[in-house]
Amino acid sequence: MAPFLEVKNLTHKYSAGTPFEHTALCDVSFTLERGEFIGVIGHTGSGKSTLMQHLNGLLKPTSGSIALDGTDIWQDKKTTRQTRFRVGLVFQYPEYQLFEETVYKDIAFGPKNMGLDAAEIDRRVKESAAAVGLSQELLTVSPFDLSGGQKRRVAIAGVLAMEPELLILDEPTAGLDPAGREEILSYIDSYRKAKQATIMMVSHSMGDVARMADRLIVMNKGRIALMGAPGEVFCHARELVDMGLDIPALTRLFLQLKELGLDVEPVYTQEQAVKALLALRGGNANA
Amino acid sequence: MEKAISVEHLAYAYPGVEDTPDIVVFEDLSLQIEQGSFVAVLGGNGCGKSTLAKHFNSILLPCGGKVYVYGMDTSDEEKLMQVRRCTGMVFQNPDNQIVANVVEEDVAFGPENLGIASPEIRNRVDRALKQVGMYEYREHAPHLLSGGQKQRVAIAGVIAMEPKCIVLDEPTAMLDPRGRKEVMQTVTKLNAEKGITVVLITHHMEEAAQAQRVVVLHQGKIEADGTPQEVFSQVELLHKIGLAAPDTVELCWELNKHGFNLPLSALDPDDCAQILLRFLEGLTRREEENWHLF
Amino acid sequence: MLKDVTLGQFFPGKSLIHRLDPRTKLLILIGYIVALFLAVSWLSYGVVFVFLVSCIAISRIPVKSFFRGMKPLIFILVFTGILNIFFTQGETVLVQFWKITVTLEGLIRAFFMVFRIMLLITGTFLLTYTTSPIALTDGLESLLSPLKKIKLPVHELSMMMCIALRFIPTLIEETDKIMSAQKARGADFESGKLMQRVKALVPILVPLFISAFRRADELATAMECRCYHGGDGRTKMKLLRMRSFDYYSFLVSAAMIAGVCVLRHFGL
């Protein structure tokens, strides 16, 4: 069976054929399985935003292909449009795209464009608002009267209401405090579980990505520099630092411990760290 | 020591629109900031930290109490220009504070407003750009720079006015890790080398940890105030108000729940590694001693 | 892509033309335009043409960029040309069919008109290509400063122009982003009738306006923080100063204009 999403030799050049030509993506290939949570890391200009916009057909590859369930998304116009709805895209600072008079109408914008009937739209709006923790009373309020964090959640609900099979988020937690960050991440996780959706999250925050993702893609200069389970990727700490990326503080701590002669493997979550250190103490206690 | 900023019983409320009630931010807030210090003001979204920053150079005026900047009352209209000259402000969105479409022209904007003679402006602009490491970009258009570079230009624009104090309102919130590092290095350098007082408003623990003093603000009140070690060891308090300690402190705190006995002072991985190593070695030694007893 | 739009593009350089005082360039451009409209013969057009070509040569700006800049104006050029070919009365009839006559006079006139517009545009481009927008606004402010006496807000106008130039690329980028975001939610800007298309713009325009107001608000605060208090008592980092080659340039340009006038006087 064909993988859920298959990206093959994807290359994208901006302003192709002019003196300003600039290769944003170069020969990128990977596949995604249904239900997977994949994290994408890379600093600004590494091509991750360009990659995102290819996956739901906003940008057309200069060369290479993208297939959803084995069908090329650029096969015909209808498929391309359908892809927009199957692959949901939450941009960075999505709260700046709100435009309707009420929260309800704004969330309904996507489903309406899908041509759904009123009852279905209503169900989806209410469901997705609840999924991001917005109370029913807020639906009649103007989105511009909400706090920054609430606006962000309305914007995310607007994409969730389209019930995408693949949900892509670009820095969904940017500019939020630790409590706000946790909240957004938990909503994303519950959506994944509720809809068996595939999630792709772009983030600068290595800690968050590592904790949530099954697999990581590290982008650098338009290419995939590293790809694999978080544990594998963080083994390449030196390379990550050279690419201008941060590695989680706990991973750094464990690399340091290893250098100091302790028998530990790199970790990236607190849970793993606690476990490893408890084991180490146990080992000592038994010595 | 000279006080850079002195907030005395500050009360402030945003006036309500139409019939909505006023939004009270501060009821009675007092805070002193010493000349030459590097203070981080830490707090979650909506804790009033940006409102506080706007009081430091007369963008907002107290509804009650007083704010003094180098002894000048910020509500004294005659001192307005002097107050703003003493404390420069850098804001969150680098795009919305750059005025000109050439880097050096933007840096010159402040000194030009002060009515400084042309050759002196040139000197100041060059010096400021060199201090933030953006001199090579002086003839570039700002919109082609990276976020971190734009923010450094904004900082240069402020230091070209030769202030004694810089207030940065979440300067790194919109930047990637690389940009964040650039800005933090620049700010730390200015504080250390030029003795400029730095007030950094942030919700990033790792950045606050680089300051000499951390003030934690929650719902318009100061919840904690002290060195980073002192503040970040109060993990329960931080959790209660929706913040977190640096990952390494959180780890030690979690380990202590499992019977470890670690100090909560390790703000970075290197310190933490040392602390863990010492603790584990101590355990081993005790084991050996116990063994010798038998 | 919207990003490809270039507005009053500036090519940084160090040529003589680049280093001229912006006021000099503005005044010479005015003189040049006057000369262009005074020119009536092959010879006088030749004089103006040679003047322009030498200026371009000195500026070292690739000729290609002038043609690229003229692309959006091709329609106007062609339209002017056709209008003049068909609607000029003349005696030497070249082609005649149905109600349309093409005369030699018409052809010549069309050629002159198109040539004149091209010279006009190229001259203006030369100014914007060699002068940074800031220098240009400074120059305008300085030239217009006598108008302050009649309470014209010259400083404010030039400040506004400067800020507008600074924010055009930012807003274009923002429009691009909002458009992509709404497209991702299934908005369709490419199909439908006119009314539908106009309605489809609402999801772009509303966020764009809101963001522009937010930016304006933040920028105003940031400017206040940097002690901006209007044009009074404000100094400039770069003072405009006329140097000797500014005066030589005036001389050369004056000679060109005088030449055209003399030629016109003799009906050439």
Side-chain angles (χ1 to χ4, degrees), chain B residues 14-23:
Chain B
Y14 283 104
V17 191
E18 284 160 33
D19 14 270
T20 55
D22 292 1
I23 303 154

Side-chain angles (χ1 to χ4, degrees), chain A residues 10-14 22-26 50 54 59-62:
Chain A
L10 176 62
T11 297
H12 188 83
K13 290 181 179 147
Y14 282 112
H22 161 69
T23 308
L25 281 179
C26 187
T50 311
H54 274 91
L59 289 176
K60 200 172 180 173
T62 309

Side-chain angles (χ1 to χ4, degrees), chain A residues 62-100:
Chain A
T62 309
S63 67
S65 68
I66 299 149
L68 207 56
D69 279 332
T71 320
D72 192 305
I73 64 166
W74 287 98
Q75 184 180 295
D76 50 53
K77 253 191 156 159
K78 211 177 132 215
T79 318
T80 312
R81 188 157 171 76
Q82 223 45 51
T83 307
R84 296 263 163 92
F85 301 126
R86 295 183 62 191
V87 180
L89 198 53
V90 178
F91 279 81
Q92 210 173 6
Y93 298 104
E95 57 272 30
Y96 294 149
Q97 306 142 20
L98 302 176
F99 69 97
E100 279 285 10

Side-chain angles (χ1 to χ4, degrees), chain B residues 100-134:
Chain B
N101 52 3
V102 180
V103 166
E104 58 177 7
E105 294 281 353
D106 184 73
V107 177
F109 181 74
E112 286 179 344
N113 289 331
L114 296 177
I116 291 162
S118 306
E120 172 61 10
I121 298 183
R122 183 80 252 176
N123 285 340
R124 283 190 180 198
V125 168
D126 289 350
R127 227 179 308 146
L129 281 170
K130 278 176 192 156
Q131 272 165 11
V132 300
M134 288 297 291

Side-chain angles (χ1 to χ4, degrees), chain A residues 43-44 93 96 174-179 181 204 242-246 248-250 252-254 256-257 260 262 270 273-274 277-278 280-281 284-287, chain B residues 43-45 170 173-178 181 203-205 242-244 247-248 250-251 254-255 258-260 269-270 272-274 276-277 279-280 283-284 287:
Chain A
H43 62 79
T44 319
Y93 298 104
Y96 294 149
L176 299 179
D177 59 13
R181 277 210 288 274
H204 295 314
D242 286 345
M243 284 179 234
L245 297 169
D246 251 351
L250 293 182
R252 258 193 346 241
L253 167 68
F254 271 64
Q256 186 79 17
L257 287 174
L260 291 170
L262 289 186
Q270 198 188 24
V274 170
L277 286 166
L278 284 177
L280 211 59
R281 183 186 63 168
N284 277 336
N286 296 336
Chain B
N45 295 107
E170 299 200 42
M174 301 182 84
L175 307 183
D176 63 0
R178 190 183 279 180
K181 220 174 277 166
H203 58 229
H204 278 281
M205 312 308 136
L243 296 174
D247 289 344
T248 46
E250 292 273 342
L251 175 68
E254 195 65 34
L255 286 170
H258 290 88
F260 278 57
D270 290 357
C272 191
Q274 292 301 330
L276 281 168
L277 205 65
F279 177 76
L280 291 169
L283 273 184
T284 323
E287 292 288 327

